[in-house]
Amino acid sequence: MGSINYVPTGSGRMGILWTIGTIGETAVLEFGSMGHMIYASKWFERSNLRLKSQLVATHINERDISLGITKRINDAVKEVLDSGVKVVFLLPSSVPETIGIDMESIAMELSAQYPEVTFIPFDKGGMRETLFEGIEEALYKICKHVSFDPPKAHESIMVNIIGSHIDFENFHSDMREIKRLLKKAFNININCILTAETSWSKIKSMSNAQLSIAIRKEGVKACKYLSKKHGTPYVAGRPYGYEGTIRWLEAIAKALDVDIDRSFIEKELDEGQHTLNTLKMMLSYGLGSSR
């Protein structure tokens, strides 16, 4: 009997951690056991990914669980704030979620106690929600709780990219290609990438952008919130294939009321056609020699 390897099903907690763990100048405080955050830190390390947020666990015992005691959260917050962090994400583990710990209320109490600090609570930290539900909630709550800096004038058009995550295998190369396409087609620069390559300071500067681009469906909810709250238009989709990329660029052009540099598009098509013809020729030689 052959062996089959299965990848563990991603939970909401994993989705949240993968989203907020790459944000600099922040801390993630989990009301749960010590082992959770140790494993998460090791996972980032072994995956060769940059962990920018501080991962902290309160620890939890039977008395905390049976009586719903949350004093450990307050004690842990004091220690975290001593490091100069101004943003704390509050994440419940599966046990506190099961017994009904209200992280929203705890965040409100902490905000009153530390008004200079931003506390962002999450609900989807258990095993009931999927990885993608966790990612969606994290993106949405980041945009909901951030206090944007006053917008600054820029010579070129600025856009925010929402949905670049470490669960995409080639997210670094994907973003390099998206940057290249926007620059060459429109002379557009990226203001903030949420969240694989960012810090809280960059997130606060999202008000500088004239457009939000959700490159995954989990980012649409956050884009809709920014559109309703701050009037920032958005486009959903990602460039894939030649025709798909053209449609993506046309949607951006329509949203910003700008023209696409058609000479760039024609050059891309010529280069792609040349590569395709070369591959066809190589394949024909290979098939001919095999006979």
Side-chain angles (χ1 to χ4, degrees):
M1 179 178 177
S3 61
I4 301 175
N5 294 325
Y6 291 98
V7 176
T9 302
S11 65
R13 175 183 177 275
M14 291 171 63
I16 292 172
L17 274 177
W18 289 3
T19 303
I20 62 182
T22 54
I23 303 176
E25 307 168 352
T26 67
V28 181
L29 178 58
E30 182 182 63
F31 186 39
S33 63
M34 175 180 64
H36 276 188
M37 282 309 190
I38 292 177
Y39 176 80
S41 299
K42 289 297 182 182
W43 185 87
F44 273 94
E45 180 182 331
R46 291 172 181 172
S47 302
N48 198 27
L49 299 169
R50 295 186 63 188
L51 174 62
K52 297 181 181 179
S53 182
Q54 297 183 40
L55 302 187
V56 183
T58 62
H59 298 211
I60 193 169
N61 59 24
E62 294 84 353
R63 190 165 177 267
D64 297 328
I65 296 171
S66 60
L67 299 178
I69 298 173
T70 58
K71 182 178 181 298
R72 292 177 186 267
I73 297 178
N74 299 74
D75 295 339
V77 165
K78 292 178 183 178
E79 294 186 20
V80 168
L81 297 185
D82 287 341
S83 64
V85 169
K86 296 297 183 183
V87 179
V88 179
F89 298 109
L90 299 175
L91 181 64
S93 64
S94 56
V95 173
E97 186 188 15
T98 301
I99 63 177
I101 298 297
D102 189 348
M103 301 303 289
E104 291 276 356
S105 297
I106 292 174
M108 292 176 62
E109 293 174 1
L110 290 170
S111 297
Q113 189 175 355
Y114 304 100
E116 73 282 1
V117 180
T118 300
F119 292 94
I120 302 179
F122 292 106
D123 302 319
K124 302 185 185 301
M127 303 299 293
R128 294 177 300 174
E129 296 83 17
T130 66
L131 174 81
F132 305 107
E133 288 175 315
I135 292 173
E136 182 181 63
E137 185 196 22
L139 290 172
Y140 169 71
K141 288 207 169 181
I142 288 169
C143 294
K144 182 179 179 180
H145 287 271
V146 64
S147 296
F148 292 124
D149 293 331
K152 298 179 181 179
H154 294 271
E155 293 183 0
S156 63
I157 298 174
M158 307 292 286
V159 300
N160 294 321
I161 303 294
I162 297 180
S164 177
H165 279 67
I166 62 177
D167 64 319
F168 288 156
E169 183 178 359
N170 298 312
F171 67 95
H172 284 306
S173 58
D174 287 349
M175 285 312 307
R176 285 194 293 269
E177 178 63 9
I178 288 175
K179 288 179 181 178
R180 186 186 73 87
L181 289 172
L182 293 175
K183 187 67 176 178
K184 295 293 186 179
F186 303 107
N187 192 30
I188 287 176
N189 291 315
I190 294 179
N191 177 66
C192 176
I193 300 173
L194 204 64
T195 65
E197 303 175 20
T198 193
S199 64
W200 195 252
S201 297
K202 290 296 296 182
I203 293 174
K204 292 182 68 176
S205 74
M206 287 176 65
S207 54
N208 293 331
Q210 288 81 50
L211 180 70
S212 298
I213 302 177
I215 61 173
R216 63 187 303 160
K217 65 179 182 180
E218 291 81 17
V220 172
K221 184 177 180 180
C223 287
K224 287 182 177 179
Y225 174 82
L226 293 175
S227 177
K228 182 178 179 180
K229 185 71 175 181
H230 303 283
T232 307
Y234 72 92
V235 168
R238 59 189 297 120
Y240 187 81
Y242 179 76
E243 293 183 359
T245 299
I246 296 299
R247 289 194 295 269
W248 184 72
L249 292 173
E250 287 175 345
I252 293 172
K254 182 179 179 180
L256 291 171
D257 193 22
V258 295
D259 295 325
I260 303 175
D261 186 347
R262 292 295 172 181
S263 63
F264 164 69
I265 301 299
E266 293 172 1
K267 182 180 178 182
E268 291 288 292
L269 178 59
D270 290 340
E271 291 179 356
Q273 190 63 53
H274 175 73
T275 302
L276 180 61
N277 292 338
T278 302
L279 288 173
K280 286 181 177 179
M281 182 174 62
M282 292 172 64
L283 288 171
S284 66
Y285 287 158
L287 291 174
S289 62
S290 65
R291 297 194 187 100

